[in-house]
Amino acid sequence: MAIVRKYSSILPLCMAVCLSQAVAAEKVLWDETGIGSFAPKGLYDYSYPNKATVSVSVTKTKDAAVPYYVQATFEAEEGSKSSGAGFGFAWELDDDYEAKIVSLANYSGVCLNYSATGQVRMDFKQWTIDDDNYFGYMLPGTEGQKVNLFIPFDSLELGWDKVSSTNKWNVAKQVGLQFSYKSEFIKKNGLTNVLGLYAVRLADECPQH
């Protein structure tokens, strides 16, 4: 009987751990295999006040290992106090090709495989925020080298107003992902910054290779 109790106490614990690992959620938008619901959906770009630019391209490469990637070249103007440029895409589109409100509650964060010559701001566009003061993360420069980086939702911070803003993170009211480069980044990163996005997945961690 003692042996039976020993194994019966271990088995539920093992089942719980194994089950939690088995059902770990992941949504691949695109990656090096080309598998996924290929984003970016509803790709857009912007600049303000015409003193900064961004050129965005979605490329299908001849390299089978990287069939799709997004490349953006940002240029900001030195001496400008409020210029910037960026691009973004929606998680999902409705029948009218408008960004849908989606919940990301099944995931812990986003995993990027990217390269950047300098820092780039990444923001989660949220339906309940109307002043562009989104929750986001400053992606570090990689000197042009491809790296994997997992950004958990609990590490996100507000953008231009971290002090007086009343905006609250709402994981159930998300509409898309946005990347930007601003004049305030020039001193540290230079006038031009090139970002490459080779894989984007919503997950609990980056894949272990």
Side-chain angles (χ1 to χ4, degrees):
M1 293 295 293
I3 294 176
V4 173
R5 286 197 298 269
K6 181 178 179 181
Y7 280 96
S8 64
S9 64
I10 293 175
L11 185 58
L13 176 61
C14 176
M15 290 178 64
V17 172
C18 294
L19 182 61
S20 66
Q21 292 176 343
V23 299
E26 179 181 271
K27 178 180 177 64
V28 178
L29 280 81
W30 76 91
D31 68 4
E32 64 275 11
T33 68
I35 296 174
S37 54
F38 178 63
K41 297 177 179 179
L43 181 69
Y44 64 89
D45 61 75
Y46 68 91
S47 62
Y48 64 91
N50 300 322
K51 292 183 178 180
T53 63
V54 60
S55 174
V56 184
S57 62
V58 179
T59 303
K60 181 171 182 177
T61 71
K62 295 180 180 179
D63 183 354
V66 189
Y68 293 103
Y69 72 93
V70 176
Q71 179 171 298
T73 300
F74 302 97
E75 292 187 358
E77 183 178 74
E78 191 170 14
S80 174
K81 294 182 179 180
S82 59
S83 68
F87 74 96
F89 53 84
W91 296 120
E92 298 289 347
L93 295 176
D94 62 20
D95 293 340
D96 295 320
Y97 297 96
E98 297 290 337
K100 291 175 63 175
I101 302 172
V102 302
S103 173
L104 306 182
N106 289 334
Y107 317 102
S108 299
V110 63
C111 173
L112 303 180
N113 182 259
Y114 79 102
S115 63
T117 51
Q119 290 178 310
V120 176
R121 172 77 180 183
M122 178 188 72
D123 284 305
F124 284 78
K125 293 194 70 177
Q126 186 170 303
W127 182 256
T128 57
I129 295 176
D130 58 10
D131 60 0
D132 295 331
N133 190 29
Y134 299 116
F135 286 85
Y137 188 87
M138 186 67 76
L139 301 177
T142 70
E143 298 182 346
Q145 300 299 309
K146 288 169 58 179
V147 300
N148 274 339
L149 179 65
F150 181 72
I151 302 100
F153 294 146
D154 60 13
S155 69
L156 303 179
E157 295 184 342
L158 285 169
W160 59 269
D161 181 2
K162 297 180 176 64
V163 179
S164 61
S165 176
T166 59
N167 293 339
K168 303 294 184 183
W169 168 253
N170 190 332
V171 72
K173 299 292 184 180
Q174 300 299 305
V175 294
L177 204 58
Q178 183 169 281
F179 300 84
S180 61
Y181 193 65
K182 302 178 181 180
S183 54
E184 62 200 71
F185 304 160
I186 290 175
K187 187 174 181 179
K188 186 173 184 179
N189 300 284
L191 297 175
T192 302
N193 197 351
V194 180
L195 169 70
L197 290 175
Y198 307 96
V200 179
R201 51 170 45 88
L202 291 161
D204 294 329
E205 62 180 359
C206 282
Q208 303 297 317
H209 296 295

